[in-house]
Amino acid sequence: MSYAFEALPRGFSDLVGTEAARGVWAESMFRSVTSSFGFAPVTVAPVGYAETFERFGSAATGRIFTFEDLSGRRLALTADSLVAVLRALAGSGRLTGDASVLGAACVPIARYRRKRHRGWSQAVAVICNESDELAADLTLLRLWAALFEILGPTAGGRLEYCDYGVLDAIATDEGLSPAAARTALHRRRRGLARPPSGEAGDARDTEEARGTDDARDTGDAADTGDISESGESDATAPNAERFLRRLDRVSALCRGLPLEEAPDRVAEAEPVTAERMAHLRTVLTIAHEMQVSVEFGLDWEHAPEYQAGLCFRARTGDGRTLGDGGGYHHMVRTLDIGLSRCWSTSASVNLLAELGPVPETECVHLMRMPSADLRTFMAAARRLRAAGYDVLEHWRPRRLGRQLRRVPAQPSQWFALVGEKEAATGRLTLQNAAAVGVTKTVDLGAVPEPAEAGHQA
């Protein structure tokens, strides 16, 4: 077998056996939970027009697999789970009017570079055109609560919330559009703008924010506008620096505050955020009642470059990111497919598979002896499967001793021989592969009970 046949592009992998079974379990678990919330099942095509993904802006041209077909059309492998599901919902005609639409899928992702917190398979649930923001946010919260319950306490699942609606409320108060506000943040991250005087986290700023009803600056020489690389004031965004100063102070205010106090203190410091904080308070209260571990902060380091409201990251106890979610309102409007509002949550199937308590099904390795009656052998396999066992049929086991040694020595594994004796008595003896002498007797004339405690022969 040549190396070229076995090799795959970097970042891709074939999964076989137990590893694949865990992924199948993770997808099945996610689909089951989303289905219970009324999300319509969706399966997506592996190929689409490259423009579909590039227009959304979530996968840059240099990161997706593109090619031309025989007609010269520029195509791409699926590069984003949300875009793929929206494409499927729009193509099915479900996005009509303002009616709420829910869809969920498990999507294989093909990109040149793996996103840091995502595997190549994403499980995604999408809520489209929901008019009630609280309904959407609480739906995603409860969906993750159900996933955490299945994953169990060892996963240590928790949600980290950040309300980017606060960012937009302050931007509007400063006369900035959402796009201009995010441009200011982007320039800050890239080091293209001078940090506002008084760094975030500075004790003086923190106390000032906590001790006043409005932490906004009254304006001074330093707040005349955004600062370019040359150090000159940018007249097109006269309030950008003051906007960043207000963000810094409200972010510093949240650090160290108990979760139950943060919304009220932020609303006191920045009255323009009162509506957002009331919304957040409701979500946090419900999360507490559902015993979901929740953290909250206003850290703008990872603020998305699109208008969004309450967003979150789902993490494991050791800090790994399982998935994230929130609003994608501004981005989906650019698609012109009849969407006004859209929420989404996506999870790494790979990480879910690692964490999940995958149930181990009992398996019987059924050996047909040369003297065995054909129909007796098939009847034995049928009875065992009806009882809930997996059955691996060995039709011509040569060198029986060697064949039996290949059976995994695990408590869930059993083996049985089918020969003249079993055909005559109508009874089958299962021998446990992990414990010598632990057996089960199965009546071939009746459906047996699986998973009984084995008795000593």
Side-chain angles (χ1 to χ4, degrees), residues 30-51:
F30 186 86
R31 288 184 181 276
S32 176
V33 171
T34 53
S35 176
S36 71
F37 280 84
F39 286 83
V42 176
T43 57
V44 302
V47 175
Y49 289 104
E51 181 186 0

Side-chain angles (χ1 to χ4, degrees), residues 97-119:
D98 291 327
S100 177
V101 179
L102 293 81
C106 294
V107 183
I109 302 298
R111 290 179 180 160
Y112 280 119
R113 295 196 301 273
R114 182 191 296 265
K115 293 186 71 173
R116 187 163 65 94
H117 295 311
R118 302 276 181 84

